[in-house]
C-alpha cells in the first residue's frame, strides 16, 4: 500500500492489519544464537547504513535467531545481562516482531517468540510502502512498569536511548550479514497501538525493517 493511501486510511482510523498467513499460535523456541564469528566490528561499522529496498523472502531460521539475540538477547546468563544497555538495567524495551504469520513478542530468557496477535501487522508499522512486504518489521515498545526506579521525567528519554542501542545492534548485525535494514519513527502511533493491542503503560518508540537486500535488475 502506498504512503498516500496509508495516510488517508490513518486519518479515518482505518489503517488496519491484514489476516495472518498460516497458523502460528504456539510459542516457538528459536535456534540457539551464533554468538561468535561475523564480520570484524570495525568493518561492520564501516558498512553500517540504512537501506529501504527489501526482498520479500523470509529470513532463514538461524538468521532470525541471531538477529533477535543481537537486538535484545541475553549475553551474560549469570546476571541476565543483555546485548544492549538500559538505565538501571531496567530492560524496559520490549521487542515485537511483525511477520506474515502474525505479531510475536521476543522473550530473551527462553530465546523464544510468543504469539501476541494473529494478524499481519507489518503494513501498520510504518507509513512507507516497503514495510508491508519486507519479511520482518521490529517494533520497540517501552514498558513503563519496568521503570519504577527511573525518575518519571526521564523514563521516555531513557527508553528511547535503550531502543537506539538495540537498533544499532541490529544495524551492525545486518552490516555483518549483508542484510538491509532501516530504523523508523514515521508511523501512525494510534493505528499501531490498536493493531498490537498495547496496554496504556506500553509506549511505542521505534520500528525497524529487516530483510535481504532487493537486487535491482539492470538491462
Ligand atoms: C530516530 C530515527 C528515526 C528515523 N525514522 C525514519 C523513518 O521513519 N523512515 C526512514 O526511512 N528512515 C528513518 N530513519 C533513518 C534515517 O533517515 C537515516 O539513518 C539517515 O538518513 C542516515 O542514513 P544512514 O542510516 O544510511 O546513515 C530514522 C533514523 C532515526 C535515528
Amino acid at each position: 500500500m502506498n504512503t498516500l493511501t496509508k495516510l488517508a486510511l490513518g486519518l479515518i482510523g482505518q489503517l488496519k492489519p491484514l489476516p495472518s498467513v498460516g497458523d502460528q499460535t504456539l510459542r516457538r523456541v528459536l535456534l540457539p544464537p551464533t554468538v561468535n564469528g561475523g564480520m570484524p566490528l570495525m568493518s561492520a561499522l564501516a558498512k553500517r547504513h540504512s537501506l529501504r529496498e527489501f526482498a520479500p523472502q523470509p529470513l532463514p531460521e538461524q538468521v532470525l535467531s541471531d538477529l533477535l539475540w543481537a537486538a535484545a538477547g541475553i549475553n551474560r546468563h549469570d546476571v541476565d545481562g543483555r546485548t544492549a544497555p538500559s538505565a538501571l538495567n531496567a530492560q524496559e524495551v520490549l521487542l515485537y516482531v511483525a511477520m506474515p504469520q502474525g505479531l510475536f513478542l521476543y522473550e530473551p530468557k527462553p530465546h523464544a517468540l510468543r504469539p501476541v496477535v494473529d494478524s499481519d501487522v507489518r503494513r501498520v508499522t510504518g507509513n512507507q510502502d516497503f514495510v508491508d512486504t519486507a519479511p520482518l518489521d521490529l517494533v520497540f515498545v517501552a514498558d513503563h512498569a519496568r521503570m519504577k526506579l527511573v525518575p518519571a521525567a526521564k523514563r521516555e528519554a531513557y527508553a528511547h536511548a535503550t531502543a537506539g542501542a538495540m537498533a544499532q545492534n541490529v544495524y551492525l548485525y545486518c552490516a555483518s550479514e549483508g542484510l538491509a535494514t532501516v530504523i523508523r519513527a514515521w508511523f501512525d502511533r494510534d493505528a499501531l497501538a490498536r493493531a498490537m493491542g498495547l496496554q496504556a503503560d506500553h509506549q511505542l518508540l521505534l520500528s525497524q525493517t529487516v530483510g535481504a537486500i532487493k537486487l535491482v535488475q539492470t538491462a
Side-chain angles (χ1 to χ4, degrees), residues 36-153:
N36 48 38
M39 184 180 276
L41 176 62
M42 300 309 268
S43 308
L45 281 167
K47 281 186 178 289
R48 187 221 64 85
H49 68 294
S50 300
L51 267 182
R52 297 175 182 79
E53 298 206 30
F54 300 86
Q57 68 254 28
L59 296 175
E61 288 293 314
Q62 189 64 60
V63 171
L64 180 64
S65 163
D66 295 353
L67 171 77
L68 298 177
W69 183 80
I74 294 187
N75 66 353
R76 288 151 293 149
H77 284 276
D78 50 337
V79 291
D80 285 343
R82 299 276 184 94
T83 54
S86 58
L88 293 170
N89 197 21
Q91 304 184 350
E92 73 282 9
V93 176
L94 308 178
L95 184 64
Y96 286 85
V97 187
M99 296 189 283
Q101 304 93 312
L103 178 73
F104 302 84
L105 177 65
Y106 173 61
E107 297 179 327
K109 250 193 194 172
H111 191 54
L113 283 177
R114 176 155 63 84
V116 177
V117 175
D118 183 18
S119 309
D120 178 358
V121 304
R122 288 176 300 166
R123 63 175 4 184
V124 194
T125 69
N127 290 325
Q128 290 155 289
D129 56 3
F130 59 79
V131 311
D132 303 22
T133 51
L136 180 153
D137 293 295
L138 302 171
V139 184
F140 301 88
V141 173
D143 178 357
H144 281 259
R146 296 194 186 184
M147 289 191 281
K148 295 265 181 342
L149 296 178
V150 176

Side-chain angles (χ1 to χ4, degrees), residues 1-12 14-15 121-133 188:
M1 188 189 291
N2 68 38
T3 296
L4 276 181
T5 309
K6 287 189 186 218
L7 294 176
L9 287 175
L11 279 176
I12 56 171
Q14 292 300 318
L15 182 58
V121 304
R122 288 176 300 166
R123 63 175 4 184
V124 194
T125 69
N127 290 325
Q128 290 155 289
D129 56 3
F130 59 79
V131 311
D132 303 22
T133 51
D188 183 328

Side-chain angles (χ1 to χ4, degrees), residues 182-202:
V182 61
I183 185 77
R184 300 181 286 97
W186 190 33
F187 51 82
D188 183 328
R189 279 156 202 277
D190 292 339
L192 186 52
R194 257 196 318 274
M196 294 176 68
L198 290 186
Q199 304 165 17
D201 60 350
H202 283 185

Side-chain angles (χ1 to χ4, degrees), residues 152-214:
K154 305 277 187 207
R155 287 177 192 162
E156 193 170 333
Y158 289 1
H160 277 95
T162 298
M166 293 165 70
Q168 180 74 350
N169 287 356
V170 171
Y171 265 109
L172 293 175
Y173 174 74
C174 289
S176 173
E177 293 301 309
L179 296 168
T181 190
V182 61
I183 185 77
R184 300 181 286 97
W186 190 33
F187 51 82
D188 183 328
R189 279 156 202 277
D190 292 339
L192 186 52
R194 257 196 318 274
M196 294 176 68
L198 290 186
Q199 304 165 17
D201 60 350
H202 283 185
Q203 180 194 4
L204 284 165
L205 302 172
L206 292 165
S207 191
Q208 186 166 17
T209 307
V210 179
I213 296 172
K214 187 177 181 179

